[in-house]
Short mmCIF file of all heavy atoms in Angstrom, two decimals:
data_model
loop_
_atom_site.label_atom_id
_atom_site.label_comp_id
_atom_site.label_asym_id
_atom_site.label_seq_id
_atom_site.Cartn_x
_atom_site.Cartn_y
_atom_site.Cartn_z
N TYR C 680 19.51 -35.05 -15.99
CA TYR C 680 19.47 -34.28 -14.72
C TYR C 680 20.68 -34.51 -13.85
O TYR C 680 21.19 -33.61 -13.17
CB TYR C 680 18.18 -34.60 -13.95
CG TYR C 680 16.93 -33.96 -14.57
CD1 TYR C 680 17.00 -33.17 -15.71
CD2 TYR C 680 15.67 -34.19 -13.95
CE1 TYR C 680 15.89 -32.61 -16.26
CE2 TYR C 680 14.55 -33.60 -14.53
CZ TYR C 680 14.65 -32.83 -15.68
OH TYR C 680 13.52 -32.26 -16.23
N LEU C 681 21.19 -35.74 -13.88
CA LEU C 681 22.38 -36.05 -13.10
C LEU C 681 23.57 -35.28 -13.66
O LEU C 681 24.44 -34.79 -12.93
CB LEU C 681 22.70 -37.51 -13.08
CG LEU C 681 21.81 -38.38 -12.14
CD1 LEU C 681 22.10 -39.86 -12.32
CD2 LEU C 681 22.03 -37.95 -10.69
N ASP C 682 23.63 -35.19 -15.00
CA ASP C 682 24.74 -34.45 -15.65
C ASP C 682 24.66 -32.95 -15.28
O ASP C 682 25.68 -32.33 -14.97
CB ASP C 682 24.64 -34.62 -17.17
CG ASP C 682 25.75 -33.88 -17.91
OD1 ASP C 682 26.93 -34.25 -17.64
OD2 ASP C 682 25.44 -32.99 -18.68
N ARG C 683 23.43 -32.40 -15.28
CA ARG C 683 23.29 -30.98 -14.97
C ARG C 683 23.56 -30.73 -13.47
O ARG C 683 24.16 -29.71 -13.10
CB ARG C 683 21.87 -30.51 -15.33
CG ARG C 683 21.67 -30.43 -16.82
CD ARG C 683 20.30 -29.91 -17.17
NE ARG C 683 20.09 -29.82 -18.62
CZ ARG C 683 19.00 -29.41 -19.20
NH1 ARG C 683 17.94 -29.04 -18.46
NH2 ARG C 683 18.90 -29.33 -20.51
N ALA C 684 23.14 -31.67 -12.61
CA ALA C 684 23.43 -31.55 -11.20
C ALA C 684 24.93 -31.61 -10.95
O ALA C 684 25.48 -30.86 -10.11
CB ALA C 684 22.71 -32.65 -10.41
N ASN C 685 25.61 -32.46 -11.69
CA ASN C 685 27.07 -32.60 -11.57
C ASN C 685 27.78 -31.31 -11.98
O ASN C 685 28.72 -30.87 -11.33
CB ASN C 685 27.56 -33.75 -12.42
CG ASN C 685 29.06 -33.98 -12.28
OD1 ASN C 685 29.54 -34.21 -11.17
ND2 ASN C 685 29.77 -33.90 -13.38
N LYS C 686 27.26 -30.64 -13.05
CA LYS C 686 27.84 -29.37 -13.44
C LYS C 686 27.63 -28.29 -12.37
O LYS C 686 28.52 -27.46 -12.16
CB LYS C 686 27.22 -28.90 -14.77
CG LYS C 686 27.66 -29.71 -15.97
CD LYS C 686 27.04 -29.23 -17.27
CE LYS C 686 27.55 -30.04 -18.47
NZ LYS C 686 26.87 -29.64 -19.73
N GLY C 687 26.47 -28.33 -11.72
CA GLY C 687 26.24 -27.37 -10.62
C GLY C 687 27.20 -27.60 -9.47
O GLY C 687 27.71 -26.64 -8.88
N VAL C 688 27.47 -28.88 -9.15
CA VAL C 688 28.42 -29.21 -8.09
C VAL C 688 29.82 -28.75 -8.45
O VAL C 688 30.60 -28.24 -7.63
CB VAL C 688 28.39 -30.71 -7.77
CG1 VAL C 688 29.52 -31.09 -6.81
CG2 VAL C 688 27.04 -31.10 -7.17
N GLU C 689 30.19 -28.94 -9.75
CA GLU C 689 31.50 -28.54 -10.22
C GLU C 689 31.66 -27.02 -10.09
O GLU C 689 32.74 -26.53 -9.72
CB GLU C 689 31.69 -28.95 -11.68
CG GLU C 689 31.96 -30.45 -11.87
CD GLU C 689 32.08 -30.84 -13.31
OE1 GLU C 689 31.85 -30.00 -14.18
OE2 GLU C 689 32.46 -32.01 -13.55
N ARG C 690 30.60 -26.30 -10.39
CA ARG C 690 30.67 -24.82 -10.24
C ARG C 690 30.84 -24.43 -8.78
O ARG C 690 31.60 -23.51 -8.48
CB ARG C 690 29.37 -24.20 -10.81
CG ARG C 690 29.29 -22.73 -10.59
CD ARG C 690 28.32 -22.05 -11.58
NE ARG C 690 28.00 -20.69 -11.15
CZ ARG C 690 28.83 -19.67 -11.23
NH1 ARG C 690 30.08 -19.85 -11.65
NH2 ARG C 690 28.45 -18.47 -10.85
N LEU C 691 30.14 -25.13 -7.87
CA LEU C 691 30.30 -24.85 -6.45
C LEU C 691 31.74 -25.09 -6.02
O LEU C 691 32.32 -24.30 -5.26
CB LEU C 691 29.33 -25.76 -5.65
CG LEU C 691 27.89 -25.33 -5.56
CD1 LEU C 691 27.05 -26.45 -4.94
CD2 LEU C 691 27.74 -24.03 -4.76
N ILE C 692 32.30 -26.23 -6.48
CA ILE C 692 33.67 -26.56 -6.09
C ILE C 692 34.64 -25.47 -6.64
O ILE C 692 35.58 -25.06 -5.96
CB ILE C 692 34.08 -27.93 -6.66
CG1 ILE C 692 33.29 -29.02 -5.92
CG2 ILE C 692 35.58 -28.21 -6.52
CD1 ILE C 692 33.39 -30.41 -6.55
N TYR C 693 34.36 -25.02 -7.88
CA TYR C 693 35.19 -23.99 -8.51
C TYR C 693 35.17 -22.67 -7.69
O TYR C 693 36.23 -22.06 -7.45
CB TYR C 693 34.64 -23.74 -9.92
CG TYR C 693 35.46 -22.78 -10.79
CD1 TYR C 693 36.72 -23.16 -11.25
CD2 TYR C 693 34.96 -21.54 -11.14
CE1 TYR C 693 37.41 -22.30 -12.05
CE2 TYR C 693 35.70 -20.65 -11.90
CZ TYR C 693 36.94 -21.05 -12.39
OH TYR C 693 37.65 -20.19 -13.16
#
Side-chain angles (χ1 to χ4, degrees):
Y680 286 0
L681 283 174
D682 181 60
R683 290 182 179 180
N685 183 58
K686 286 180 179 178
V688 172
E689 286 178 353
R690 175 159 166 72
L691 281 170
I692 292 170
Y693 186 69

